[in-house]
Amino acid sequence: TISKEIRRIGDCELSYWLSMKSIDIYPQDQDSALNALKCAISIGNDWGTLVSGGTLLAMKNEPPGIPYHKVATASLRKGRIDYSKDLL
């Protein structure tokens, strides 16, 4: 996808934004949700990690490759301890 290519060339903020817009249009777009999660993690965006991680976990079929530990870490930093416990 375009957002993956943008992430590959190094603009994770734009890639995250495009991925999240794609999810707004196609709520079950696993590729975009996983890409958004990877971007949020790489730029240290804890809220973005929680939003995109939560989106992935709410999908009908969770795709492989979700870094639960990264989502849990972001959750801890935002004070959502119970959510972290649930993930791990």
Side-chain angles (χ1 to χ4, degrees):
T1 63
I2 293 172
S3 59
K4 282 185 185 178
E5 189 62 23
I6 291 172
R7 178 173 55 93
R8 189 187 67 76
I9 62 173
D11 192 345
C12 281
E13 289 184 31
L14 178 59
S15 181
Y16 174 83
W17 182 84
L18 284 172
S19 293
M20 294 307 289
K21 286 298 176 187
S22 178
I23 295 165
D24 284 345
I25 297 168
Y26 304 106
Q28 293 297 314
D29 185 354
Q30 294 178 348
D31 289 335
S32 291
L34 192 55
N35 185 64
L37 179 59
K38 290 177 181 178
C39 288
I41 290 168
S42 72
I43 60 175
N45 180 346
D46 289 335
W47 282 120
T49 300
L50 291 175
V51 169
S52 54
T55 301
L56 276 168
L57 296 171
M59 291 189 171
K60 291 179 185 174
N61 299 312
E62 293 178 15
I66 299 173
Y68 293 98
H69 64 288
K70 297 282 187 176
V71 178
T73 302
S75 177
L76 285 173
R77 284 194 293 258
K78 290 297 181 184
R80 300 192 58 200
I81 297 167
D82 289 334
Y83 187 63
S84 296
K85 288 178 184 178
D86 290 342
L87 285 172
L88 300 174

